[in-house]
Amino acid sequence: MKILITGISGFVGSHLAEYFLAAGKNEVFGAIKWRSNRENIIHIQDKIKLYECDIKDAFAMKTVLSAIRPDRIFHLAAQSYVPFSWRVPQETLSTNIIGEVNLFETIRELKIDPLIHIAGSSEEYGLVLPDELPIKESNPLRPLSPYGVSKVAQDFLAYQYFKSYGLKTVRTRAFNHTGPRRAEVFVTSNFAKQIVEIEKGKRKPVMYVGNLNAVRDFSDVRDVVRAYALALEKGTHGEVYNIASGKGIKIKELLDKLVALSNVDLKIEQDKGRFRPSDVELLIGSPDKFQKATGWKPEILFEQTLKDLLDYWRERV
Ligand code: A2R
């Protein structure tokens, strides 16, 4: 199969490419911005074929899709960082929404018929009431950030293009996921990197943290990419599925687990700059619908994920 991954140089894209390469019998193609950092895919560079394409550029999109004519498209390219979306809402909305419209319109124009995965997010649910947990796909969407709004739009566009034109889209709403290569702006990676810097004597034994009371539902990125692949093989076109563990963990507990995996004594200080203008306190997803459709279950223990994340930073700091 010809697999196209947009955003292949990102955190999830690099793991998804590894997944398909390991599965064999696949040709893996990636769309990448010419200025993108290629560190995440440097080790598989000779096994994948890269095309330069800014997804906001409809012409570039057409060039890439007509050259590849993929059987499967995993559309991961996005402005993916929630806090950044308050600073640059225009950029977030145009990349995430117009980028996807360019993808869909090009598919229609070329009359190709790939299966298309659209990567949504638990941030689409936004404000969640305590009696709505664990969150099902039918929950109201009340996004609390420009990023969340952009992902709602991506989600509904995928539904609309399925209904209006029969594009074979499958949507997922992934809850938090982490693991090696997670960018340091994300909480797990940020904590892990600070701990490793303290281990190596590169910073004073003080960790700076944001809101430790938020509860999140974490999965390992390697389980999540397996879920994305399954979503296209076994999911129903036009449908939406949560990808979640179904269990919540307080950020404070996550921090304690990371510290326990290290051998350092440290002090924890709250940094108001790390708080969001509006935060979602509780996000726990129900994976039932996806599990019923595909049989997927998370396989990697969270402790293993955190250990691998610390080791990732130990190799880099
Ligand atoms: O910004 P860069 O140079 O790191 O490239 C990112 C790429 N990207 C784009 N590619 C083409 N045209 C654009 N205009 C454009 N803007 C960004 O998307 C990067 O390679 C990728 C996103 O990777 P990450 O930021 O590491 O996100 P992650 O965690 O892999 O998330 C994948 C998907 C996203 O749609 C999230 O919103 C969703 O899963 O949760």
Side-chain angles (χ1 to χ4, degrees):
M1 275 192 309
K2 289 196 221 168
I3 315 270
L4 169 62
I5 303 173
T6 71
I8 195 169
S9 64
F11 167 58
V12 177
S14 63
H15 284 282
L16 187 61
E18 277 177 357
Y19 172 87
F20 279 115
L21 289 173
K25 292 189 194 153
N26 296 307
E27 269 184 280
V28 180
F29 299 83
I32 188 168
K33 272 192 301 186
W34 70 271
R35 280 184 313 150
S36 288
N37 184 333
R38 297 179 183 211
E39 195 192 330
N40 287 343
I41 47 172
I42 209 130
H43 59 296
I44 49 172
Q45 190 154 248
D46 53 344
K47 300 192 186 94
I48 57 183
K49 187 143 197 259
L50 294 178
Y51 285 82
E52 278 173 15
C53 172
D54 185 318
I55 58 168
K56 285 190 287 183
D57 177 349
F59 183 76
M61 185 70 87
K62 189 171 173 190
T63 309
V64 171
L65 286 191
S66 51
I68 305 171
R69 303 185 80 83
D71 303 298
R72 304 275 184 276
I73 299 176
F74 293 85
H75 181 49
L76 303 179
Q79 191 307 89
S80 68
Y81 184 42
V82 179
F84 199 54
S85 76
W86 277 289
R87 297 220 315 264
V88 288
Q90 299 91 335
E91 170 64 24
T92 303
L93 295 169
S94 66
T95 299
N96 297 3
I97 302 172
I98 303 304
E100 184 171 300
V101 172
N102 284 339
L103 174 71
F104 288 165
E105 285 298 318
T106 308
I107 289 169
R108 291 185 59 218
E109 192 186 336
L110 293 176
K111 297 188 170 44
I112 53 177
D113 192 25
L115 304 191
I116 310 153
H117 168 248
I118 295 299
S121 162
S122 57
E123 292 287 331
E124 292 174 51
Y125 294 112
L127 180 73
V128 175
L129 309 175
D131 65 353
E132 292 173 337
L133 296 174
I135 307 162
K136 293 202 183 75
E137 290 80 353
S138 52
N139 211 72
L141 304 177
R142 310 178 191 106
L144 291 175
S145 65
Y147 171 78
V149 171
S150 77
K151 286 281 150 182
V152 170
Q154 278 195 247
D155 188 326
F156 285 175
L157 278 165
Y159 174 76
Q160 181 250 310
Y161 272 74
F162 165 71
K163 283 291 196 190
S164 305
Y165 309 113
L167 261 59
K168 292 179 178 152
T169 58
V170 178
R171 301 165 280 149
T172 56
R173 294 182 190 144
F175 285 63
N176 291 62
H177 40 291
T178 189
R181 299 186 211 130
R182 190 39 138 175
E184 65 174 290
V185 286
F186 289 85
V187 63
T188 43
S189 225
N190 187 282
F191 288 175
K193 186 178 181 209
Q194 289 192 62
I195 289 171
V196 169
E197 283 171 348
I198 295 169
E199 279 179 356
K200 299 204 175 194
K202 300 214 177 215
R203 68 154 66 218
K204 286 192 287 178
V206 180
M207 270 193 76
Y208 295 96
V209 300
N211 179 7
L212 292 182
N213 288 322
V215 173
R216 293 288 181 270
D217 176 330
F218 277 94
S219 299
D220 190 288
V221 62
R222 293 158 289 195
D223 279 329
V224 169
V225 298
R226 194 165 48 80
Y228 289 174
L230 273 172
L232 284 194
E233 296 320 312
K234 298 196 171 167
T236 304
H237 304 154
E239 272 300 336
V240 63
Y241 300 99
N242 284 341
I243 311 295
S245 75
K247 290 185 222 120
I249 179 169
K250 224 182 203 179
I251 302 299
K252 168 78 171 78
E253 208 183 314
L254 183 157
L255 173 62
D256 291 344
K257 279 184 193 289
L258 272 171
V259 173
L261 286 167
S262 173
N263 48 9
V264 284
D265 274 332
L266 45 81
K267 227 174 77 188
I268 289 166
E269 274 188 20
Q270 280 206 322
D271 168 8
K272 289 288 170 207
R274 290 169 187 252
F275 281 70
R276 296 174 178 185
S278 49
D279 204 2
V280 185
E281 277 300 307
L282 272 175
L283 274 181
I284 301 170
S286 164
D288 288 358
K289 181 177 172 185
F290 189 63
Q291 290 187 346
K292 275 195 197 103
T294 66
W296 177 84
K297 275 199 167 54
E299 286 173 357
I300 301 172
L301 291 177
F302 195 46
E303 274 67 19
Q304 186 63 48
T305 309
L306 294 180
K307 196 172 160 303
D308 292 347
L309 183 59
L310 279 169
D311 286 344
Y312 169 78
W313 283 113
R314 285 179 182 128
E315 280 167 26
R316 267 154 196 86
V317 170

